[in-house]
Amino acid sequence: MPPNEKEINCNLFDQLTILDDIQEIAEKENAVETLKVIAKKRKQVERKLYQQPTFGDK
């Protein structure tokens, strides 16, 4: 059974929470390359989270 939109959104918010936790440590350690990867992954997750539904999804 495919997941519904609410489940998908919950999973994406969980991913953002994980990125927040990792970012906190990376900032303390001044891990510049790690922070770049975190920013990239955050954009990817947010793109999925905030994408507009297609016309068929109502």
Side-chain angles (χ1 to χ4, degrees):
M1 171 188 262
N4 63 33
E5 184 178 350
K6 184 176 180 179
E7 289 177 63
I8 293 170
N9 286 346
C10 286
N11 289 336
L12 293 172
F13 280 119
D14 287 345
Q15 290 178 21
L16 288 175
T17 300
I18 292 167
L19 288 172
D20 288 339
D21 294 344
I22 296 169
Q23 182 175 348
E24 184 179 330
I25 295 167
E27 287 172 351
K28 286 181 184 178
E29 296 179 349
N30 197 26
V32 177
E33 293 299 317
T34 303
L35 289 169
K36 288 179 185 178
V37 173
I38 292 169
K40 177 182 175 183
K41 291 299 176 186
R42 183 180 307 280
K43 286 180 186 177
Q44 292 171 345
V45 172
E46 289 174 348
R47 183 176 63 232
K48 292 177 189 176
L49 185 61
Y50 301 117
Q51 72 182 356
Q52 295 297 318
T54 59
F55 292 113
D57 296 342
K58 292 193 178 195

